[in-house]
Amino acid sequence: MPAFDYAPAPESRDLANLKPSYRPFIGGEFVDGGGEPLKSVNPATEEVLAEVGTADANDLDAAVRAARTAFEKTWGPMPGSERAKYLFRIARLVQERSRELAVLETLDNGKPITESRDSDLPLVAAHFFYHAGWADKLDYAGYGPGPKPLGVAGQIIPWNFPLLMLAWKIAPALATGNTVVLKPAETTPLTALVFADICRQAGLPAGVVNIVPGAGDLGAKLVSHPGVDKIAFTGSTEVGKLIQREVAGTPKRLTLELGGKAANVVFDDAPLDQAVEGIVNGIFFNQGHVCCAGSRLLVQESVADELLEKLRHRISTLRLGDPLDKNTDVGAINSREQLDKIRELAESGEAEGAQRWTSPCPVPDRGFFFAPTVFSGVHQSMRIAREEIFGPVLSVLTFRTPDEAVAKANNTPYGLSAGIWSEKGSRILWMANRLRAGVVWANTFNRFDPAAPFGGYQESGFGREGGRTGLEGYLDV
Ligand code: NDP
């Protein structure tokens, strides 16, 4: 039961400045794409938000040509100190238009407004500010004097953090002197096209950023396009593997940021109330649509019952519903396909013998919603312990010794992130050194900073985004 009753506090959807239609952005202009238009849907209500023009093969050629021309004529030769000014301008415009972007993101994606407003948008601006700072200092980044950009970057992003993933891709590419053709996800193209308008507002030279909405086949065409020098992809491991096969044997550079099945490890000396907050954030932030979500809770057996009781109590206070309501903690699942996938995996958990507990929160009749769910008694062989559910579903396993915790945490084909909860610094360092994960959080979870490199091992991909290391993916070094 919720601890308090809250009066509705909806953010105004008018702030999104929603248009009936949006168009691809190529060579500095919004153009009529030759592809079949798609309809972007509000996952919280299932209403159509807008029609979006998509790019066909000819449009893609035009976008790659525009990016090449900009790379050779304007952006590539421009001194870093000048490029920095554009990036600063974009960062400031993102801040100025952040309410509009936050509401639009929430409408298109289903995430709570408090998350788009307080997490996504500040991080988007921070990424542009941070990389603006690098643009004139590349000589001192440790890659030798005058590191060269790669050329035209083809970038493909998913639907879970539409604008933030765009920022992670575009900011470093531009700071290092590359130009960009970016394909947003089919279900969340709107904020990318408002970002295109921000590029125009910032006076960014034509062709430096091109946004081509479309489905997966357009993404595949971008990957195989001979005019592209680098592919940066965030999305599923399955598609990442296809892309790696396609790029193999070509001179194209590739970075892949793929799925995860992170272990959040709680030792018996951990501050349990604090750990509960971190576990909740780790799996219910953004409805669990997070590649680094702490989707496997590994808890030391001696405190498992106590922790689970605290956890269920805390989860039952989470409010699920209208993502535009400022009181909402858990919003909508991004699409019916994703909802079906979550349901199917949750059913497999029950069928394989795990104990299911679901928050008693009310669930709206309309829209795509899934109540926060915890599975206990999970074994490592179960699908819910192995596969990325990408939803608000936590799988709880137990361990007795630190060695067992390491073995179980690493028993995954992924390796993106992990969390450790303990009051002993020595144990945290011991454990962090043994975890095969790109990011390890200690006594916290889901902390992001543009200065901190992010990326994975094994089937979570390769290459890093953010920080000095993230520049490497866009430089010929
Ligand atoms: P995808 O990997 O299919 O989509 C990511 C992006 O790649 C989208 O822009 C998509 O376009 C595009 N794409 C799809 N197929 C190809 C292709 N053959 N070549 C190039 N680009 C392509 O993820 P889904 O949205 O289908 O989600 C499926 C599952 O993937 C989720 O359930 C989740 O488990 C996982 N996932 C993981 C993410 C992560 O950050 N690790 C992010 C998103 C999903 P389009 O949108 O048109 O399909």
Side-chain angles (χ1 to χ4, degrees):
M1 289 292 292
F4 300 102
D5 283 336
Y6 286 78
E11 180 61 288
S12 165
R13 63 175 277 157
D14 293 347
L15 290 166
N17 199 13
L18 192 63
K19 310 266 185 325
S21 63
Y22 292 78
R23 294 190 295 163
F25 183 70
I26 296 173
E29 302 286 337
F30 288 100
V31 301
D32 290 328
E36 193 60 36
L38 59 88
K39 290 185 170 36
S40 207
V41 168
N42 179 347
T45 60
E46 301 178 51
E47 66 169 319
V48 172
L49 290 168
E51 188 171 278
V52 180
T54 67
D56 66 7
N58 291 332
D59 301 319
L60 189 63
D61 280 343
V64 173
R65 265 199 316 276
R68 174 67 54 199
T69 306
F71 176 67
E72 287 171 358
K73 301 258 162 62
T74 53
W75 198 248
M78 190 183 284
S81 54
E82 290 301 308
R83 287 202 307 273
K85 290 180 191 167
Y86 287 101
L87 288 164
F88 276 124
R89 225 175 275 166
I90 289 171
R92 283 198 301 268
L93 285 164
V94 166
Q95 286 183 320
E96 276 170 29
R97 296 179 68 174
S98 67
R99 274 189 94 182
E100 171 193 353
L101 287 163
V103 176
L104 189 62
E105 193 78 311
T106 285
L107 286 173
D108 205 19
N109 168 281
K111 63 176 71 202
I113 185 69
T114 47
E115 291 182 6
S116 49
R117 184 193 64 192
D118 301 342
S119 295
D120 295 39
L121 262 298
L123 278 169
V124 170
H127 269 270
F128 282 98
F129 277 121
Y130 174 79
H131 285 95
W134 268 121
D136 62 348
K137 299 175 195 69
L138 297 173
D139 282 349
Y140 315 105
Y143 301 114
K148 298 275 174 292
L150 298 172
V152 176
Q155 307 183 319
I156 300 166
I157 56 170
W159 44 262
N160 54 342
F161 292 92
L163 195 59
L164 185 57
M165 289 303 103
L166 173 149
W168 281 26
K169 298 268 177 292
I170 292 186
L174 264 46
T176 44
N178 300 273
T179 56
V180 162
V181 178
L182 178 137
K183 190 199 93 64
E186 206 178 337
T187 57
T188 53
L190 301 186
T191 47
L193 294 165
V194 173
F195 178 82
D197 190 45
I198 285 178
C199 292
R200 255 197 349 182
Q201 245 184 308
L204 195 70
V208 175
V209 168
N210 304 273
I211 310 280
V212 289
D217 60 335
L218 184 70
K221 287 194 183 91
L222 179 56
V223 170
S224 58
H225 200 289
V228 169
D229 302 297
K230 190 235 155 77
I231 294 293
F233 172 79
T234 298
S236 62
T237 295
E238 189 190 350
V239 173
K241 286 180 182 174
L242 288 176
I243 292 177
Q244 191 169 10
R245 263 184 226 121
E246 181 66 34
V247 166
T250 75
K252 285 176 198 168
R253 299 289 184 87
L254 178 64
T255 43
L256 296 174
E257 201 268 272
L258 310 174
K261 192 76 190 174
N264 205 358
V265 184
V266 181
F267 285 96
D268 59 5
D269 64 344
L272 291 190
D273 290 327
Q274 194 181 323
V276 163
E277 292 308 311
I279 295 161
V280 166
N281 176 289
I283 186 64
F284 301 120
F285 174 66
N286 203 34
Q287 295 72 246
H289 300 328
V290 185
C291 45
C292 56
S295 51
R296 281 186 301 151
L297 173 63
L298 298 189
V299 54
Q300 198 151 15
E301 204 174 81
S302 49
V303 290
D305 290 343
E306 185 186 351
L307 183 74
L308 266 176
E309 199 187 316
K310 283 175 184 281
L311 194 56
R312 289 187 190 123
H313 176 73
R314 177 68 180 93
I315 294 169
S316 15
T317 66
L318 295 177
R319 285 172 298 270
L320 176 140
D322 179 6
L324 275 183
D325 191 321
K326 291 170 204 154
N327 295 319
T328 294
D329 299 303
V330 181
I333 301 302
N334 181 246
S335 65
R336 185 174 296 284
E337 288 77 29
Q338 189 60 27
L339 181 60
D340 290 344
K341 184 185 160 191
I342 296 168
R343 283 185 176 148
E344 195 261 322
L345 272 161
E347 277 158 25
S348 84
E350 276 183 290
E352 289 188 290
Q355 287 88 56
R356 178 179 186 156
W357 176 88
T358 300
S359 169
C361 63
V363 178
D365 305 329
R366 231 163 41 124
F368 313 133
F369 289 93
F370 193 90
T373 296
V374 178
F375 279 99
S376 51
V378 175
H379 297 295
Q380 295 182 84
S381 58
M382 293 178 181
R383 285 182 66 201
I384 54 169
R386 290 184 291 116
E387 295 181 28
E388 185 177 46
I389 302 175
F390 226 61
V393 181
L394 179 67
S395 301
V396 184
L397 299 91
T398 57
F399 66 91
R400 289 184 180 168
T401 63
D403 284 328
E404 188 186 350
V406 171
K408 284 186 167 166
N410 286 340
N411 185 13
T412 169
Y414 296 110
L416 195 52
S417 68
I420 308 169
W421 298 83
S422 168
E423 70 161 14
K424 288 193 189 64
S426 55
R427 176 178 275 169
I428 291 171
L429 293 174
W430 179 89
M431 181 97 191
N433 276 330
R434 284 160 181 77
L435 290 177
R436 292 284 296 162
V439 182
V440 180
W441 287 291
N443 291 328
T444 187
F445 210 88
N446 273 344
R447 297 277 163 185
F448 304 101
D449 190 290
F454 184 93
Y457 288 101
Q458 306 190 108
E459 294 202 0
S460 290
F462 48 79
R464 294 291 178 266
E465 292 185 308
R468 188 193 72 85
T469 323
L471 302 172
E472 205 171 311
Y474 290 96
L475 290 171
D476 189 13
V477 289

